[in-house]
Amino acid sequence: MPDDPRSPSLAAWFLGPRAENAALLERLVTEALRDHVFWRRNFHPEDGITIRETERRNEGYEDAVATLTQELMGLLAELKRGVPFFSGRYKGHMSFEQTIASQIGYFAAMLYNPNNVSIEASPVTTRLELEVAAQLGAMIGYEASHSWGHLTSGGTVANFEALWIARNVIYLPLAAAGAADQLGVSIDVERLDGTRAPLSELSIWELVNVRDPAVLDLWGRLWSIAPRADVQRALSAHSLSTVGYQDYARRLASAYGDTLPASVVLVAATAHYSWEKIVRALGIGSNQLVFIPVDDRYRMNPDALWRTVRELTASRTPIMACVSVCGSTEESAIDRLDEVLEVRERAERELGVTFHVHSDACYGGYAASVSRRADGSRRTAAEIRESMGMSGAWPDDEWVRGISALERADSVTIDPHKLGYVPYPAGALLLRDRRARELVAVDPPYLLPTQGLDSAEDLFLGRFIFEGSKPGAAAAAVWLSHKVLPLDERGYGYLIERTMVGARRMHAALAEADFGEMRIVLLPEPDINIVCYVMHHPSFSTLAAVNAFNEGIYARMSLGEPGAAPPYIITRTRLQAPMYSGAVEPLLERLGVCGVAEWEASGADGLVVLRSTVMDPFLVASPPAPDHIAGFVSALRTAALASLDKEASG
Amino acid sequence: MPDDPRSPSLAAWFLGPRAENAALLERLVTEALRDHVFWRRNFHPEDGITIRETERRNEGYEDAVATLTQELMGLLAELKRGVPFFSGRYKGHMSFEQTIASQIGYFAAMLYNPNNVSIEASPVTTRLELEVAAQLGAMIGYEASHSWGHLTSGGTVANFEALWIARNVIYLPLAAAGAADQLGVSIDVERLDGTRAPLSELSIWELVNVRDPAVLDLWGRLWSIAPRADVQRALSAHSLSTVGYQDYARRLASAYGDTLPASVVLVAATAHYSWEKIVRALGIGSNQLVFIPVDDRYRMNPDALWRTVRELTASRTPIMACVSVCGSTEESAIDRLDEVLEVRERAERELGVTFHVHSDACYGGYAASVSRRADGSRRTAAEIRESMGMSGAWPDDEWVRGISALERADSVTIDPHKLGYVPYPAGALLLRDRRARELVAVDPPYLLPTQGLDSAEDLFLGRFIFEGSKPGAAAAAVWLSHKVLPLDERGYGYLIERTMVGARRMHAALAEADFGEMRIVLLPEPDINIVCYVMHHPSFSTLAAVNAFNEGIYARMSLGEPGAAPPYIITRTRLQAPMYSGAVEPLLERLGVCGVAEWEASGADGLVVLRSTVMDPFLVASPPAPDHIAGFVSALRTAALASLDKEASG
């Protein structure tokens, strides 16, 4: 869309592949630096000078400056061996350059180095952090008055926190039942059928199957059944977080004479490998991580989810949470979260079970901005298609429904340092119901219990989050970027649209390319902007041969070897069993070298898949911008031929 | 020490309270930016221009630049309401400004935005990260060939990882015994008395009491008792991390007919509040966090530790780890880690129990640089005193022994973003034995099992650490700072010496100051550089009155209220029961308003203590530098008088 009125803004958002906006960035950096310098000079000017001018002419001073300058030159030289994420020639991991706004926001705030652990150490940037989280919440459709969120160091910590909170939610009714019993009072809760009953009348199975909002209502009412300190003590005596897993299981067995199987966490088969770290660290155990198969579009299969929930119910296994994915790491697939939520509703109705629904939208969350008009209302699929200049039927209504369902997830994680185009580190955790954060709160000794919203205690983020000290600069970076690129069709929506169009074009170009005797087997068109493919040649008759061939291509199109200078850069992944069972079958069929059984037997090897993330919004720019799609296809052909030669001769 | 030859270097290390080095920083920032710009332009110059000059004259482009500039101005104005950490007038939290080296290192690398999750996304900065960790390891005395470390987002994640690893270590012999049994093979292990025995002959109690090095030897040998995949499978079937806590306890009970009490974590009473989050999240439970009382210098009391270990042994309670503190958050106390380690040796010898020893040196770790000569050897206490220009007996041999014992801790965490004077986020985890990282490794689908040290797989940090994506810029910042300020008496050692001297001077000045009718009750002289004190007046006869008085002083010397502009800024904490039992008694005696029982009954209120961190190395600079010690004493007197008026009239 060369005459799209939004196109000139895009030209101003990034430094540019040729550093076209170098003068702009330098002006702003200098401005921010001098502004900070004069802030220092204006602070109690009567204090005079600490570092004297004469001292700065001392030999020792000059030596120290010389060391600094020389070591910096060394570092700058080293950095040039880094990865050219900024270039249209980089088509690998989910990395591109950052918005100028975020770079300058980070730099400006870093000079002040605020610590967002507490408002006292960051009077400005803690508020920016909460504002940023509210913006992300509004983008996905959370109610501003009920939701809450904050930034983290990244997706792993954000997802970890989400599951940590989910665990506290699922077990709260059990703890509350114990606490109420100890205090000799009765308190009721809403059951799945909508009726209310005292906790003491619920079975252990019913207690672990209370809806999140009902649990949080219970939490709120708990504090009035007895003096606050007594409630605190009684709850502590029965909470998993205080008692710990080892004693908790024993107590349940003695209190209910009924030991449930270990609670499980359902995750889409495409879930990031960090989920395994998370369940291990939390003490849940990776055996309790149940992969839900994906369909041939790499989206969680709702029928498979339903079957799993039914089986788990039959064995009375509690489900702690179901983790749906919005923008899978490998394929950028967007789960049909609307269908996942329908499965939960059906489970509540027909099976009497429920669970926390989390969306891991670390990669894809920002794509929700594509669905937003400037006034915040939702665009239709047709509007989006027109805005993108797509002639086909994509993105369709289902795409919009999947993205829109984020507003009904109990928690969502979104990484600004991925499709938010800001520097590391910036992840985010969003809670649909802000009360959930109270369940993991720990009071540091500086603080008395919270005095209410917006009090200094409430703005002491360290109470409610897992991490402690953390950069206020990250909040400033995201904040300024959101100010310049609004989270709708004018800003991020447009930016991400361009990458989606670019990825589709690249997918089409690869499908149509002439690879001679070689063939390309493409994964389906992506839901966002990651293109995956397997190169093939008729001479290969085994999975191992195809894998070696593709590894050879990858080696020629990556920076692995020192001195490597491939014209285009890609990455690769492995589709392994059992996670990709189902999804991988159409690929294996088209490759025709092996069946599912052989693939399953390959274990960690799996099927090697080449992978190109298109975060570059300029991929479909018109001349004089380079045609990186044609260049890429040609480079892939060359690398494939070289790999073929090697395989043939080797 | 005005004629210390190191003094002129100090003048070049920071931007300075009056931004005296503004020209230097601006020159280096511009240099780094332009260097990056021309790197882009030199990358495939044939690609031509993507953002055309004509486009940059378009109205839409100019609008976007105007928005960016305007919003940046807004941000810069907001930031001025931030905290003047750079000023000698800030005597609050552990915050100061950053070294110029770290600021420029961060900025330079941020332009490249490397992601240190894997070498592929950060060919340069992953290596810098490992180099930095090795430097920190060398500083504390770890063997380069055996140890390993990496950076984290901060101390909470680093400490969390340390305990996560410790848990995997303590439970490995149990898992290995189960695995060996399943595989039908025998494997032996070193017992505490030095003899070796097959795992199958050890009781459950002996299995959880194997020394860390013996566990890691066992780990190494495990992989040769059967084909690797079989070992993997058998270990998984018996490991806590796969099985999860809920099933694990049941299995142990059925396998050994003996259920041990839940394992505990011993922590110094001064441990940071995040330890409570950590044990909650790990599923250990905060009930299992056992606080070891501190002595009147706020250091873990080794006798109390011994008594606790003996009691736990009597109840057959396994000890997962003992967390000693090097530089407590509130007081900067340095535990006598040498004595803690002696307690462990004695426990191994006399009680037949052992545990992982971790040092939380997040705050104080860098103080180890004070103990290092330029050639890496240790300085004596006398040398350090001379270097500091201290006439008294401090720092003494015990101080050096406590710091030197870090080399024998199984794991140590150190935050470069505290006494390393670098921007957030930068924590570090150091492992004495690098093999321990293998116990928490998770393989992402991109990777095959590790091919050995320095292979791409080994440099994929995401395998061995909890976090995923993380800023390579943080590694570059720490790296450049370590290059300019070596981790010995020339660099960080000198910097931290200056703050230690400053804190001692401030302590002495407060002790000698004339507060009229009011009195100051000081905590003991700090081990590093945090000065704590309680103001008092004869008219107060209750703890609550003293607390209110000090809260009033704090309110007048902090930025809590909008528009507040106190001449000096402090912070405060609360010494709460039971953590500070023992240590607080001398203070209560000197205050004379209440006994220990009343203090214990005050719960979360505790004793309010005013707190001033001296990270400012210029505090004892000579004129024309301002005399901030005299200024501070005077400001404290004024605030105290105002608070007294308020209390009297209120």
Side-chain angles (χ1 to χ4, degrees):
Chain A
M1 303 285 294
D3 30 356
D4 191 304
R6 298 168 296 181
S7 160
S9 311
L10 178 58
W13 287 340
F14 295 97
L15 177 54
R18 191 61 60 235
E20 291 90 336
N21 287 316
L24 172 63
L25 181 55
E26 186 171 321
R27 172 168 73 79
L28 299 178
V29 163
T30 311
E31 188 100 48
L33 178 54
R34 291 185 185 164
D35 195 76
H36 177 81
V37 160
F38 287 98
W39 177 66
R40 291 196 180 194
R41 291 187 183 159
N42 285 325
F43 185 79
H44 291 279
E46 73 276 16
D47 278 356
I49 294 291
T50 295
I51 301 172
R52 281 162 297 148
E53 203 48 39
T54 50
E55 210 170 355
R56 300 177 52 233
R57 287 171 194 174
N58 181 301
E59 201 181 321
Y61 177 91
E62 282 172 4
D63 282 354
V65 170
T67 302
L68 171 59
T69 310
Q70 173 132 340
E71 294 294 347
L72 174 61
M73 293 305 129
L75 175 64
L76 295 180
E78 280 289 308
L79 287 172
K80 293 189 177 65
R81 298 194 292 114
V83 185
F85 296 126
F86 67 86
S87 167
R89 291 171 176 273
Y90 185 78
K91 292 282 168 281
H93 288 289
M94 27 185 73
S95 288
F96 185 64
E97 62 166 321
Q98 292 67 62
T99 62
I100 289 180
S102 64
Q103 290 175 314
I104 186 70
Y106 202 104
F107 177 69
M110 190 176 78
L111 294 168
Y112 292 78
N113 206 35
N115 177 354
N116 275 20
V117 67
S118 79
I119 188 86
E120 201 183 12
S122 54
V124 178
T125 49
T126 286
R127 289 182 194 277
L128 296 184
E129 175 168 343
L130 295 173
E131 196 176 326
V132 155
Q135 290 162 345
L136 292 172
M139 174 181 73
I140 63 168
Y142 274 1
E143 284 282 345
S145 54
H146 290 92
S147 59
W148 185 79
H150 70 90
L151 297 182
T152 68
S153 66
T156 302
V157 170
N159 280 326
F160 171 79
E161 243 183 81
L163 192 54
W164 181 36
I165 289 174
R167 176 167 76 187
N168 279 274
V169 170
I170 187 185
Y171 286 131
L172 182 76
L174 271 167
D181 183 50
Q182 177 177 327
L183 294 166
V185 296
S186 173
I187 182 165
D188 61 8
V189 70
E190 188 191 300
R191 288 195 287 206
L192 289 182
D193 62 6
T195 63
R196 305 190 68 88
L199 287 175
S200 55
E201 288 180 14
L202 269 62
S203 69
I204 184 171
W205 180 249
E206 285 174 302
L207 286 168
V208 296
N209 280 295
V210 177
R211 280 189 205 92
D212 273 35
V215 172
L216 296 168
D217 284 342
L218 171 65
W219 168 258
R221 287 180 298 114
L222 260 179
W223 298 99
S224 55
I225 61 171
R228 206 179 161 88
D230 295 347
V231 175
Q232 180 78 58
R233 220 172 357 253
L235 260 184
S236 281
H238 295 88
S239 294
L240 173 61
S241 58
T242 37
V243 171
Y245 265 116
Q246 279 188 265
D247 283 341
Y248 199 62
R250 284 178 219 166
R251 291 197 189 193
L252 287 190
S254 73
Y256 293 88
D258 175 8
T259 319
L260 297 175
S263 305
V264 297
V265 177
L266 314 181
V267 297
T270 51
H272 192 254
Y273 74 95
S274 60
W275 282 99
E276 188 162 341
K277 296 188 203 175
I278 290 169
V279 292
R280 288 179 178 205
L282 285 168
I284 294 169
S286 49
N287 284 359
Q288 275 64 249
L289 196 62
V290 178
F291 291 99
I292 307 296
V294 290
D295 62 20
D296 57 5
R297 303 298 301 263
Y298 297 80
R299 302 167 182 162
M300 184 190 276
N301 184 328
D303 297 331
L305 174 63
W306 170 252
R307 280 193 302 272
T308 305
V309 171
R310 216 174 40 195
E311 284 161 19
L312 291 167
T313 304
S315 64
R316 286 171 60 80
T317 305
I319 302 170
M320 192 177 288
C322 172
V323 179
S324 169
V325 175
C326 175
S328 62
T329 312
E330 313 300 341
E331 312 84 5
S332 74
I334 299 180
D335 279 355
R336 287 291 305 278
L337 180 58
D338 51 325
E339 296 183 343
V340 170
L341 290 163
E342 275 167 26
V343 169
R344 180 173 68 176
E345 279 166 35
R346 188 175 165 199
E348 291 174 355
R349 217 169 42 233
E350 298 182 17
L351 306 174
V353 305
T354 189
F355 41 84
H356 180 103
V357 169
H358 173 70
S359 174
D360 178 347
C362 284
Y363 184 64
Y366 271 85
S369 63
V370 173
S371 76
R372 294 288 184 189
R373 299 191 189 103
D375 65 3
S377 59
R378 294 271 185 199
R379 298 206 284 179
T380 63
E383 270 177 273
I384 296 172
R385 286 194 297 271
E386 191 191 356
S387 165
M388 286 187 181
M390 298 298 284
S391 55
W394 182 86
D396 54 16
D397 291 343
E398 295 185 348
W399 190 93
V400 177
R401 274 204 293 276
I403 281 273
S404 302
L406 287 171
E407 66 191 33
R408 288 181 288 138
D410 298 306
S411 55
V412 175
T413 45
I414 299 178
D415 280 357
H417 67 207
K418 293 195 174 95
L419 283 182
Y421 293 82
V422 310
Y424 301 105
L429 168 67
L430 307 177
L431 297 175
R432 185 158 183 261
D433 189 324
R434 58 182 299 141
R435 294 173 297 180
R437 68 184 184 155
E438 302 278 345
L439 276 68
V440 294
V442 168
D443 286 326
Y446 329 116
L447 282 187
L448 292 176
T450 181
Q451 306 299 313
L453 287 183
D454 241 41
S455 66
E457 288 77 11
D458 196 74
L459 294 171
F460 193 113
L461 293 185
R463 296 186 67 205
F464 304 111
I465 70 175
F466 185 67
E467 294 175 283
S469 297
K470 63 207 201 74
V478 183
W479 183 87
L480 193 58
S481 204
H482 286 186
K483 282 286 176 188
V484 175
L485 285 74
L487 292 161
D488 57 47
E489 59 179 334
R490 297 167 300 168
Y492 277 100
Y494 177 60
L495 172 58
I496 293 166
E497 264 181 49
R498 299 317 302 151
T499 71
M500 290 168 71
V501 173
R504 285 263 154 167
R505 292 267 181 93
M506 186 164 151
H507 193 277
L510 286 170
E512 289 158 15
D514 177 10
F515 289 107
E517 278 204 316
M518 300 180 294
R519 269 200 300 134
I520 190 166
V521 173
L522 281 147
L523 267 70
E525 294 172 312
D527 284 339
I528 310 179
N529 54 16
I530 303 180
V531 181
C532 294
Y533 41 95
V534 182
M535 292 300 289
H536 193 31
H537 186 272
S539 65
F540 300 132
S541 55
T542 64
L543 177 61
V546 175
N547 279 351
F549 176 48
N550 283 280
E551 280 286 348
I553 298 172
Y554 164 68
R556 286 167 179 79
M557 297 186 77
S558 61
L559 298 166
E561 300 302 311
Y568 285 83
I569 299 166
I570 61 171
T571 182
R572 62 93 168 76
T573 187
R574 295 165 190 280
L575 304 187
Q576 294 163 336
M579 282 83 81
Y580 281 94
S581 301
V584 82
E585 281 159 37
L587 297 182
L588 294 179
E589 256 170 49
R590 281 147 69 202
L591 288 167
V593 293
C594 78
V596 173
E598 191 183 325
W599 168 75
E600 278 171 354
S602 75
D605 285 343
L607 171 66
V608 173
V609 167
L610 304 176
R611 177 169 161 270
S612 291
T613 309
V614 179
M615 280 182 61
D616 171 6
F618 303 111
L619 186 60
V620 289
S622 34
D627 183 352
H628 281 311
I629 291 182
F632 178 79
V633 171
S634 155
L636 178 62
R637 189 188 298 116
T638 306
L641 285 171
S643 177
L644 193 64
D645 260 12
K646 181 77 195 316
E647 288 304 303
S649 70
Chain B
M1 301 286 295
D3 29 354
D4 191 305
R6 299 168 296 181
S7 160
S9 310
L10 178 58
W13 287 341
F14 295 97
L15 177 53
R18 191 63 60 235
E20 290 91 335
N21 287 315
L24 172 62
L25 181 55
E26 186 170 323
R27 171 168 73 78
L28 298 178
V29 163
T30 311
E31 188 100 49
L33 179 55
R34 291 186 186 162
D35 195 76
H36 177 81
V37 160
F38 287 98
W39 177 66
R40 290 196 181 195
R41 290 188 184 158
N42 285 324
F43 185 78
H44 291 278
E46 73 276 17
D47 278 356
I49 294 290
T50 296
I51 301 173
R52 282 161 298 147
E53 203 48 40
T54 48
E55 210 169 356
R56 299 178 51 233
R57 287 173 193 171
N58 182 301
E59 200 180 323
Y61 177 90
E62 283 173 3
D63 282 352
V65 170
T67 302
L68 171 59
T69 310
Q70 173 132 340
E71 294 294 345
L72 173 61
M73 293 305 129
L75 175 64
L76 295 180
E78 281 289 307
L79 287 173
K80 292 188 178 65
R81 297 194 294 114
V83 185
F85 296 125
F86 67 88
S87 168
R89 292 171 176 272
Y90 185 77
K91 292 284 168 281
H93 288 288
M94 26 185 71
S95 288
F96 184 65
E97 62 166 321
Q98 293 67 61
T99 62
I100 290 180
S102 64
Q103 290 176 314
I104 186 70
Y106 203 105
F107 176 69
M110 191 177 77
L111 293 168
Y112 291 78
N113 207 35
N115 178 355
N116 275 20
V117 67
S118 80
I119 188 86
E120 200 182 14
S122 54
V124 179
T125 49
T126 286
R127 289 183 195 276
L128 297 184
E129 175 168 344
L130 295 172
E131 197 176 323
V132 156
Q135 289 162 345
L136 292 172
M139 173 181 72
I140 63 167
Y142 275 180
E143 284 281 345
S145 55
H146 290 93
S147 59
W148 185 80
H150 70 90
L151 297 181
T152 67
S153 65
T156 302
V157 170
N159 280 327
F160 170 80
E161 243 184 82
L163 192 54
W164 181 36
I165 289 173
R167 176 166 76 187
N168 279 274
V169 170
I170 187 186
Y171 287 130
L172 182 77
L174 272 167
D181 183 51
Q182 177 177 329
L183 294 166
V185 296
S186 174
I187 183 164
D188 61 8
V189 72
E190 188 189 299
R191 287 195 288 205
L192 289 182
D193 63 6
T195 62
R196 304 190 68 88
L199 288 176
S200 53
E201 288 180 14
L202 269 60
S203 69
I204 183 171
W205 180 249
E206 285 174 301
L207 287 168
V208 295
N209 279 294
V210 177
R211 279 191 204 89
D212 274 34
V215 172
L216 296 169
D217 284 343
L218 171 66
W219 169 257
R221 287 179 298 112
L222 260 179
W223 297 100
S224 54
I225 60 172
R228 205 178 162 88
D230 295 348
V231 175
Q232 180 77 60
R233 220 174 353 256
L235 260 184
S236 281
H238 295 87
S239 294
L240 174 61
S241 59
T242 37
V243 171
Y245 265 116
Q246 279 188 264
D247 283 343
Y248 199 62
R250 282 178 221 167
R251 291 197 191 192
L252 287 189
S254 73
Y256 292 88
D258 177 7
T259 319
L260 297 176
S263 306
V264 297
V265 177
L266 314 181
V267 297
T270 51
H272 193 255
Y273 74 95
S274 59
W275 282 99
E276 187 163 341
K277 296 187 204 176
I278 290 169
V279 292
R280 287 179 178 206
L282 285 167
I284 294 168
S286 49
N287 285 357
Q288 274 65 250
L289 196 62
V290 178
F291 290 99
I292 306 295
V294 290
D295 63 20
D296 57 5
R297 302 299 301 264
Y298 296 80
R299 302 167 181 161
M300 184 190 276
N301 184 329
D303 297 331
L305 173 63
W306 169 251
R307 280 193 301 273
T308 304
V309 171
R310 215 175 41 194
E311 284 161 19
L312 290 167
T313 304
S315 64
R316 287 173 60 81
T317 305
I319 302 171
M320 193 177 287
C322 172
V323 178
S324 170
V325 175
C326 175
S328 62
T329 312
E330 313 300 342
E331 312 84 5
S332 74
I334 299 181
D335 279 356
R336 288 290 305 279
L337 180 58
D338 51 326
E339 296 183 344
V340 170
L341 290 162
E342 275 168 26
V343 169
R344 181 173 67 175
E345 280 166 35
R346 187 175 165 199
E348 291 174 356
R349 215 167 45 233
E350 299 182 16
L351 306 175
V353 306
T354 190
F355 41 85
H356 180 103
V357 169
H358 172 71
S359 174
D360 178 347
C362 284
Y363 184 64
Y366 271 84
S369 63
V370 173
S371 76
R372 294 289 184 188
R373 300 194 188 98
D375 66 2
S377 58
R378 293 271 185 199
R379 298 206 285 179
T380 63
E383 271 177 275
I384 296 172
R385 287 195 297 271
E386 191 190 355
S387 166
M388 284 188 184
M390 297 299 284
S391 54
W394 181 86
D396 55 17
D397 291 343
E398 295 186 347
W399 190 93
V400 176
R401 274 205 293 276
I403 282 273
S404 302
L406 287 172
E407 66 191 34
R408 290 181 287 138
D410 298 305
S411 54
V412 176
T413 44
I414 300 178
D415 280 358
H417 67 207
K418 294 195 174 95
L419 283 182
Y421 293 81
V422 309
Y424 301 106
L429 167 68
L430 308 176
L431 297 175
R432 186 159 183 262
D433 188 324
R434 59 182 297 141
R435 294 173 297 180
R437 68 183 183 154
E438 302 277 346
L439 276 68
V440 294
V442 169
D443 286 326
Y446 329 116
L447 282 187
L448 292 175
T450 181
Q451 306 299 312
L453 287 184
D454 242 39
S455 66
E457 287 77 10
D458 196 75
L459 293 172
F460 193 113
L461 294 186
R463 296 186 67 204
F464 303 111
I465 71 175
F466 185 66
E467 293 175 283
S469 297
K470 64 208 201 74
V478 183
W479 183 87
L480 194 58
S481 204
H482 286 184
K483 282 287 175 187
V484 176
L485 285 75
L487 292 162
D488 57 47
E489 57 179 335
R490 299 167 299 169
Y492 277 102
Y494 177 60
L495 173 57
I496 293 167
E497 264 180 50
R498 299 317 301 151
T499 71
M500 290 168 71
V501 172
R504 285 262 155 168
R505 292 267 180 93
M506 187 161 149
H507 193 277
L510 286 170
E512 290 157 15
D514 175 10
F515 289 109
E517 281 203 314
M518 300 179 294
R519 270 198 304 133
I520 190 166
V521 173
L522 280 148
L523 267 70
E525 293 172 313
D527 285 339
I528 311 177
N529 54 16
I530 303 181
V531 182
C532 295
Y533 42 95
V534 183
M535 291 300 288
H536 193 31
H537 186 270
S539 65
F540 300 133
S541 56
T542 62
L543 177 61
V546 176
N547 280 349
F549 176 48
N550 283 280
E551 279 287 348
I553 298 172
Y554 164 68
R556 286 168 179 79
M557 297 186 76
S558 61
L559 298 167
E561 299 302 310
Y568 284 83
I569 299 167
I570 62 172
T571 181
R572 63 94 167 76
T573 186
R574 295 166 191 281
L575 305 188
Q576 295 163 336
M579 284 82 84
Y580 280 94
S581 301
V584 83
E585 282 159 35
L587 297 182
L588 294 178
E589 256 170 49
R590 281 148 70 203
L591 287 167
V593 293
C594 78
V596 174
E598 191 183 323
W599 168 74
E600 277 171 353
S602 75
D605 284 344
L607 171 66
V608 173
V609 167
L610 303 176
R611 178 168 161 269
S612 290
T613 310
V614 179
M615 280 182 62
D616 172 6
F618 303 111
L619 186 60
V620 289
S622 35
D627 183 351
H628 280 311
I629 292 182
F632 178 79
V633 170
S634 156
L636 178 62
R637 188 187 300 115
T638 306
L641 285 171
S643 179
L644 192 64
D645 261 10
K646 181 76 196 316
E647 288 304 304
S649 70

